[in-house]
Amino acid sequence: MRFLFVGDSMTIGRAGDFTWRYRMWQHLVTSYGGPFQIVGPRTELYDTFANAPLSYEYADPAFPAHARRHLSGWGEGWLHMAPLIGETVASTKADVLLVSLGLIDLGFYTDAAQTADNAERFIAEARAANPGVWMVIHPVIPNVRAESDAPFAAECDRFNELLAKAVANLDAPGTSPLLLAAPHATYDIHQDTYDGTHPGPTGEHKLAAAFAEAMYEGWGVGGRYACASPAVLFSGA
């Protein structure tokens, strides 16, 4: 099975991060129980000094190059990924998309309805490239801006409502199933991020856990996330 990570700055990560992609790769290694690949056209982290995705300085240098692949970008959202996903799915032969997008769209580019339209376009383009593709989609986690910007917070909530409806309406069990991941119950932007938006080590674990639990509960893929206990999640490793 070929897994493709699709996301924004929370998914690409910055130089020095482990990334939740790394946490998910570790989970799949120990729980999937069969051959799998991580696929995608990119492998870089974002370099904040160069203001570009030029870094390969992962926190764990033993993270294999073949497992670093992804389709994610700092400042990229549904708006940017919808035109790319068809070509990417076709070229990588991705079977499962793990998608975390939307916050950057709502923050800078599109309102909730427009963002939902782009999400539906993304789903259609992915299916055009592979009619049997599976997708797990994570809702938007409102960041620190939502605490002081009520209209932005409302747009995040509205988008998540529209996203849930789109996933339910477009789900095609048996051919191209869709799952809506549930954000980890204890995810806290003040504890699990380093700036109110981007995940630190505990946030990375919790994002990975959300996807892992969705796949396990919805499809029986993999197992329970092994690092879901507080002792591990809050170890900082």
Side-chain angles (χ1 to χ4, degrees):
M1 189 168 281
R2 293 172 290 271
F3 293 87
L4 172 64
F5 297 99
V6 186
D8 51 27
S9 56
M10 295 173 67
T11 298
I12 185 174
R14 62 174 182 172
D17 284 351
F18 286 97
T19 75
W20 74 262
R21 298 182 284 109
Y22 168 81
R23 312 296 188 181
M24 177 57 72
W25 166 73
Q26 288 185 311
H27 169 73
L28 291 171
V29 166
T30 59
S31 74
Y32 181 62
F36 74 91
Q37 291 179 276
I38 305 298
V39 299
R42 306 174 185 176
T43 58
E44 305 88 349
L45 293 159
Y46 189 75
D47 186 327
T48 55
F49 294 102
N51 196 30
L54 298 173
S55 176
Y56 298 92
E57 298 298 320
Y58 285 83
D60 183 357
F63 189 15
H66 64 81
R68 298 179 178 187
R69 297 170 182 156
H70 62 85
L71 177 65
S72 55
W74 203 275
E76 297 184 57
W78 292 106
L79 174 68
H80 308 84
M81 294 304 180
L84 301 179
I85 194 60
E87 174 187 347
T88 302
V89 168
S91 63
T92 63
K93 297 181 171 59
D95 299 301
V96 180
L97 310 185
L98 305 178
V99 187
S100 177
L101 290 168
L103 186 63
I104 195 72
D105 300 83
L106 299 169
F108 294 97
Y109 305 118
T110 51
D111 63 21
Q114 293 166 330
T115 305
D117 286 344
N118 285 327
E120 293 190 19
R121 177 188 172 194
F122 176 102
I123 293 167
E125 294 289 343
R127 284 174 165 170
N130 175 6
V133 70
W134 298 11
M135 295 177 238
V136 186
I137 303 174
H138 198 288
V140 163
I141 300 173
N143 65 357
V144 67
R145 173 180 166 185
E147 296 183 336
S148 58
D149 185 338
F152 173 68
E155 285 297 292
C156 290
D157 290 342
R158 177 60 177 154
F159 170 71
N160 282 340
E161 292 174 1
L162 294 173
L163 180 65
K165 290 178 181 177
V167 168
N169 291 336
L170 297 175
D171 183 27
T175 54
S176 178
L178 304 180
L179 288 177
L180 187 68
H184 194 280
T186 67
Y187 197 98
D188 183 337
I189 62 170
H190 300 291
Q191 300 294 327
D192 298 318
T193 75
Y194 59 80
D195 61 357
T197 299
H198 301 96
T202 58
E204 293 169 352
H205 277 299
K206 291 177 182 181
L207 282 169
F211 282 94
E213 293 294 311
M215 288 195 295
Y216 177 71
E217 293 181 5
W219 300 330
V221 172
R224 296 288 182 189
Y225 190 73
C227 294
S229 69
V232 175
L233 284 173
F234 292 98
S235 67

